[in-house]
Amino acid sequence: NAGVTQTPKFQVLKTGQSMTLQCAQDMNHNSMYWYRQDPGMGLRLIYYSASEGTTDKGEVPNGYNVSRLNKREFSLRLESAAPSQTSVYFCATRYNEQFFGPGTRLTVL
Amino acid sequence: KNQVEQSPQSLIILEGKNCTLQCNYTVSPFSNLRWYKQDTGRGPVSLTIMTFSENTKSNGRYTATLDADTKQSSLHITASQLSDSASYICVVSAVDTGRRALTFGSGTRLQVQP
């Protein structure tokens, strides 16, 4: 079992470009999450999906959109990247505890 | 506002020594507290989870304590190893089934030197 996988692992964008971060899980969990992690700060919730077909905003949703394509996949889209979105992005599932993916390190120039 | 404060921010110890990391929280109503280990370049991995009624839980050389009255937790690492070098994150869950239930600390970065 791969657990939670994320692609890509690294990405560099120019301001204004768009991209989609992919997340997939084989744990059969209903809940999936997107977080960002910045130096000196705790993980902050961007978006959440309680189940297939549902999504909800977290603490810092501005500038992002999400799609819960099916039970396995939950993608995060940046429509027009900004330098403030330079961060490490983690996807996670939850069943009693959270299980995190390996992260995507995104730099926006 | 729910908050989780961790101390110290960073710590350097010699291999074989013990250390204790601290976590203070103001999350209410409290549900449980977790400690995660995050290796550089990887996602956090759960070490322990403690509910209101538990005051000590061990996982190998890791021992977590919880004082729900003072809203403090500690993570004690015994006989440290080089592989313990990582960030340790305290996460507190409120009694809320929604997505806003988790509050993350900013972590303690531990470096174990030979």
Side-chain angles (χ1 to χ4, degrees), chain A residues 33 35 37 40-43 45 48 56-59 90 94 96-98 100-102, chain B residues 1 34 36 38 41-44 46 49 89 93 97-102 104-106:
Chain A
Y33 302 73
Y35 292 93
Q37 185 177 40
M41 301 182 71
L43 277 81
L45 182 64
Y48 156 82
D56 202 357
K57 294 179 180 179
E59 182 183 356
F90 288 99
R94 183 175 181 182
N96 292 329
E97 66 176 87
Q98 291 218 299
F100 289 87
Chain B
K1 180 181 178 182
R34 298 175 174 88
Y36 282 82
Q38 184 177 18
R42 311 192 75 154
S46 179
I49 177 171
I89 302 172
S93 176
T97 57
R99 76 282 189 257
R100 297 186 186 278
L102 299 181
F104 290 79
S106 58

Side-chain angles (χ1 to χ4, degrees), chain A residues 12-18 79-86 107-109:
Chain A
V12 178
L13 293 178
K14 294 181 180 179
T15 297
Q17 288 186 316
S18 62
E79 292 291 351
S80 179
S84 61
Q85 294 178 305
T86 294
T107 301
V108 182
L109 302 175

